[in-house]
Amino acid sequence: MTANATAELDTFPKLLLRNEAVRPHRPAMRHKDLGIWREWSWGDVARQVRCYALGMMAHGLQRGDKVAIIGTNRPKLYWSIMAAQSVGAIPVPVYSDAVADEMAYVLDHAEVRFACVQDQEQVDKILGVADRLPKIEIVFYDEPRGLRDYDHSRLQAIDEVIAQGEGILLSDPAAVKRLDDAIASGKGSDTSVILYTSGTTGRSKGVMLSAGGCVKAATDTVEFDGLTDQDNVIAYLPLAWVGDHYLNYAQALVAGFTINCPESPETAVEDRREIGTTFAFAPPRVYESMLTRIMIRMEDAGWLKRKMFHYYLGVAKKWGEKILDGKPVPIGARLNYALGEVLVYGPLKNVLGMTTIRIAYTAGEAIGPELFSFYRSIGLNLKQLYGQTEAFLYVTVQSDGGVRADCVGPATPNVEIRIDENGEVLYKSPGQFIGYFKEPEKTAETMTEDGYVRTGDAGFFEKDGQLRIIDRAKDVGKLRSGALFAPKYLENKLKFFPNIREVVAFGQGEDFVTCFINIDLTAVGNWAERNNVSYGSYQELAGHPQVYDIIAGHVAEVNRQLSEEPMMAHAQIRRFLVLHKELDADDGELTRTQKVRRSFIADRYGPLVTALYDGSTEADISTEVTFEDGRKGVISARVRVMDAKVVPVSTPASQPARAA
């Protein structure tokens, strides 16, 4: 590329030009394929994107066209975003695990004209719903495996498009000038990307984000965390999620650091260890999964290792966070913790690929305080942020030394936050969205008259200025007694236990709290193997009496903890059941970002909810499921309902509700 863009760096293509000019030989991207890391410098990426953009223009791509990006994290899919933005087109990332019907809705709603996809699987999904997508003209693909015998009248390899563009670069100065002019004429007010929401309460909405807003927001957080071109990140988050587009794509172009694409999402931990990443992000579910694997491995270790492990976890729990925050700690405790670093914490962080990480974040949903404290106690500088797609992620962020497990931090630099009279969190931010694509009425519902965005979350500020999010505003309620009911808070407490993967709590307007529980098949399966418990399926293991006893113990422990919290003491769980199937995004029970669709689940499993409250000890249920190949089936089961151990409390039920 040529460095002839305007001086104002208000679009990502202009930032790419800047990076090519000031750090042409610094690594911009790496990709592990067949066990080998391949690397591209910023100069390499700029040239590839330039050729790619010229090739796409030759196929008719114009300013304002929508380009779908579908697949896992691959350099050529990131280049697809850059190339589209260079022309002035608008990339529309789509979840790679979306079933064909979900994908068809987004592609049709976004009026997509071109699609850049990873492989045969994504091509097949598009071709399978082609009759619903008359506007799609051509599909560009990265991996050719399995596509040789397809009709290529509407298919072309991305490598071929880049090669075509390289020929244009060398032979057609007029086309090159058109691309240069397109980049230079790009404005901060242009729509940079359309990211579709997870659709927790209904159909996904297309969030339009401006180029200048995205660049400004990313610049603020790069400065906040001191990110430079020496940093490394592992890119494994879904391309369609705002977390990836912000933390990897946007911040990389602003700071000039290296994006590392793992061989597959399953190898992300190992690949992170090989690369030595310095900045990391993961939603709570990932940290839960890592902790589960740790605990399973320790159960299989010898008694001496187990004893040492649990002893030093106790040391870390007592002193680790204080040492991390630079607070006064007795010299003896520091020496003991240092020994624990050699024997336990260091090797543990190495296994998790966290040895070189200096900054780590979590967001996406509330994280359990116990889980959060565990990682910080072993020396990981894990912090929380709170954000939304409509904000281009950041609304609040925690600074070093100002980290709390129960809060998500004060406002991010240049972000304004206020709490309305109903307790809902409102904000203004540099990166806030332009509006919802083709849905002005929903945009108006989300915005206040003075320009603040409604988050839909209930929260309040602590005395130190940190924001505490209670739950989704529509989900926070009261029991019939007037006691506070915050389902996500209860669910996260239960999900701290490695045996529990997912929880859905009920109680709004009821006499007491109940919940559905999904076991973690890996953790409970490991327990079954060690205890000679045979099972043939998830359903059989979930209904096993001994498994119910284990889960009952976890629920009892959570109730004990709740009994010591004045605001939540009367929200103890009275009855529970273990679901006969795992909640699944393909069945509409979870969003693609793995958030629970609470109302959908309550309707779908109505007989089980009824059984939780009418005193039944079991209930029959038949549930339609979607298999990986798209076929439908039905799972039927008789599900056991169990009473939980509750700790008596002396305070009136209405007291915590008033305190809230």
Side-chain angles (χ1 to χ4, degrees):
M1 280 191 170
T2 58
N4 62 348
T6 58
E8 187 177 3
L9 300 174
D10 56 358
T11 70
F12 290 121
K14 293 175 186 177
L15 285 169
L16 180 58
L17 290 176
R18 187 276 311 267
N19 289 338
E20 179 191 24
V22 304
R23 50 179 69 90
H25 305 299
R26 287 291 306 165
M29 286 189 175
R30 297 188 187 98
H31 177 216
K32 188 177 183 183
D33 186 30
L34 300 177
I36 300 172
W37 286 99
R38 183 180 177 186
E39 183 176 289
W40 293 266
S41 68
W42 281 108
D44 295 331
V45 169
R47 182 174 178 83
Q48 292 288 320
V49 169
R50 187 172 186 74
C51 294
Y52 195 175
L54 287 168
M56 293 178 79
M57 289 172 70
H59 282 280
L61 182 66
Q62 300 175 7
R63 177 173 294 276
D65 283 343
K66 315 301 188 307
V67 181
I69 314 293
I70 313 171
T72 56
N73 311 79
R74 292 289 184 273
K76 287 171 190 169
L77 294 186
Y78 285 112
W79 300 349
S80 299
I81 297 174
M82 294 176 187
Q85 291 175 334
S86 297
V87 178
I90 303 170
V92 183
V94 181
Y95 286 100
S96 61
D97 59 349
V99 296
D101 183 64
E102 291 177 72
M103 184 177 292
Y105 167 76
V106 173
L107 299 185
D108 177 61
H109 184 268
E111 302 175 355
V112 166
R113 188 177 169 205
F114 298 87
C116 303
V117 308
Q118 178 184 347
D119 53 17
Q120 181 186 19
E121 178 188 354
Q122 308 303 339
V123 169
D124 286 344
K125 281 193 274 188
I126 291 178
L127 295 181
V129 292
D131 58 326
R132 297 163 56 184
L133 303 171
K135 292 187 178 181
I136 290 190
E137 297 180 11
I138 190 166
V139 177
F140 304 119
Y141 59 85
D142 181 8
E143 300 173 10
R145 189 183 302 112
L147 293 170
R148 185 178 62 181
D149 296 329
Y150 279 52
D151 177 5
H152 276 66
S153 61
R154 296 176 61 192
L155 293 176
Q156 188 170 7
I158 291 175
D159 282 339
E160 294 176 1
V161 181
I162 293 174
Q164 181 181 359
E166 190 164 11
I168 296 171
L169 181 67
L170 299 173
S171 63
D172 191 345
V176 174
K177 186 177 186 306
R178 285 197 300 273
L179 177 59
D180 290 340
D181 290 344
I183 295 172
S185 62
K187 301 186 295 294
S189 57
D190 292 343
T191 299
S192 177
V193 68
I194 297 178
L195 298 174
Y196 275 75
T197 63
S198 57
T200 309
T201 58
R203 281 289 195 183
S204 299
K205 299 184 288 292
V207 179
M208 298 183 293
L209 297 165
S210 70
C214 290
V215 171
K216 179 65 173 68
T219 300
D220 286 343
T221 52
V222 162
E223 292 176 354
F224 180 85
D225 282 316
L227 301 176
T228 71
D229 59 7
Q230 302 298 310
D231 283 301
N232 274 283
V233 302
I234 194 85
Y236 69 97
L237 301 167
L239 291 175
W241 190 43
V242 66
D244 179 81
H245 197 71
Y246 189 107
L247 296 163
N248 296 332
Y249 182 80
Q251 290 196 146
L253 281 161
V254 169
F257 61 61
T258 309
I259 299 174
N260 299 278
C261 299
E263 188 149 16
S264 71
E266 291 73 29
T267 65
V269 171
E270 178 185 340
D271 296 342
R272 180 169 60 211
R273 182 169 62 248
E274 289 181 5
I275 286 296
T277 53
T278 56
F279 178 87
F281 175 89
R285 183 177 294 273
V286 172
Y287 289 108
E288 291 164 5
S289 177
M290 288 193 294
L291 180 59
T292 295
R293 291 199 300 271
I294 291 167
M295 294 307 181
I296 289 173
R297 292 180 66 172
M298 288 314 304
E299 289 298 329
D300 293 333
W303 71 269
L304 182 59
K305 283 187 176 179
R306 287 201 309 272
K307 190 174 182 65
M308 180 178 67
F309 176 78
H310 289 294
Y311 169 76
Y312 277 107
L313 281 193
V315 173
K317 185 175 182 180
K318 187 173 183 180
W319 303 110
E321 288 191 85
K322 293 181 180 178
I323 292 174
L324 184 63
D325 291 334
K327 296 179 179 178
V329 172
I331 185 64
R334 286 188 178 274
L335 291 174
N336 199 18
Y337 185 88
L339 184 59
E341 175 68 27
V342 173
L343 297 174
V344 176
Y345 319 139
L348 183 56
K349 286 182 287 188
N350 181 57
V351 167
L352 297 174
M354 294 178 169
T355 302
T356 57
I357 291 175
R358 63 185 181 85
I359 303 169
Y361 281 109
T362 186
E365 60 176 330
I367 188 171
E370 296 87 354
L371 181 68
F372 185 69
S373 295
F374 167 80
Y375 284 101
R376 287 186 55 77
S377 72
I378 63 172
L380 179 66
N381 185 26
L382 179 61
K383 303 187 287 185
Q384 295 190 79
L385 65 87
Y386 167 68
Q388 290 191 319
T389 307
E390 290 85 348
F392 196 41
L393 194 59
Y394 281 77
V395 174
T396 70
V397 63
Q398 293 179 330
S399 59
D400 293 340
V403 179
R404 292 177 51 171
D406 58 348
C407 294
V408 292
T412 307
N414 297 313
V415 174
E416 300 175 26
I417 302 176
R418 77 178 188 217
I419 311 298
D420 76 359
E421 63 276 5
N422 297 319
E424 184 178 5
V425 179
L426 313 177
Y427 69 86
K428 280 184 180 179
S429 73
Q432 78 183 48
F433 74 142
I434 302 168
Y436 296 121
F437 184 59
K438 298 197 302 189
E439 298 186 86
E441 69 289 343
K442 290 186 178 178
T443 303
E445 290 174 6
T446 305
M447 302 293 297
T448 65
E449 292 183 0
D450 56 349
Y452 280 78
V453 182
R454 300 184 182 278
T455 65
D457 290 323
F460 60 90
F461 283 107
E462 293 284 2
K463 291 181 179 179
D464 62 356
Q466 292 213 39
L467 179 67
R468 178 182 287 197
I469 299 295
I470 303 173
D471 207 325
R472 293 295 292 172
K474 64 181 180 57
D475 290 336
V476 176
K478 295 181 180 180
L479 302 180
R480 189 167 291 151
S481 64
L484 180 69
F485 172 62
K488 180 57 69 176
Y489 184 80
L490 304 176
E491 292 161 4
N492 282 331
K493 276 191 164 292
L494 279 168
K495 285 160 64 177
F496 175 75
F497 296 98
N499 295 319
I500 296 177
R501 180 171 178 80
E502 193 57 80
V503 183
V504 185
F506 304 97
Q508 172 62 29
E510 301 286 353
D511 291 327
F512 52 85
V513 176
T514 63
C515 68
F516 292 168
I517 291 174
N518 264 166
I519 60 171
D520 186 289
L521 185 58
T522 302
V524 180
N526 181 269
W527 165 85
E529 182 180 340
R530 287 186 284 102
N531 289 274
N532 297 316
V533 174
S534 60
Y535 65 96
S537 65
Y538 176 93
Q539 181 177 340
E540 187 176 340
L541 185 61
H544 197 284
Q546 288 179 262
V547 172
Y548 259 84
D549 290 340
I550 291 172
I551 300 302
H554 297 334
V555 174
E557 172 58 22
V558 167
N559 282 344
R560 184 196 65 77
Q561 296 171 13
L562 292 172
S563 70
E564 299 173 355
E565 302 177 26
M567 290 180 64
M568 300 301 297
H570 293 275
Q572 294 181 53
I573 298 159
R574 301 298 181 101
R575 308 191 82 207
F576 71 92
L577 58 82
V578 180
L579 277 177
H580 59 297
K581 69 174 288 290
E582 294 181 281
L583 297 175
D584 196 310
D586 286 348
D587 295 326
E589 298 156 343
L590 303 174
T591 68
R592 289 294 163 191
T593 54
Q594 302 299 298
K595 294 177 183 175
V596 168
R597 284 183 162 135
R598 198 181 308 279
S599 59
F600 179 87
I601 291 171
D603 291 339
R604 189 172 213 222
Y605 297 99
L608 298 185
V609 177
T610 299
L612 285 169
Y613 285 99
D614 68 7
S616 299
T617 57
E618 57 185 25
D620 293 321
I621 187 75
S622 293
T623 311
E624 184 181 75
V625 296
T626 303
F627 300 111
E628 289 187 2
D629 61 3
R631 291 181 299 112
K632 302 285 186 181
V634 175
I635 295 180
S636 299
R638 176 162 290 178
V639 180
R640 178 185 174 192
V641 181
M642 191 171 188
D643 292 330
K645 182 179 179 181
V646 177
V647 179
V649 292
S650 57
T651 56
S654 58
Q655 184 174 326
R658 286 197 302 269

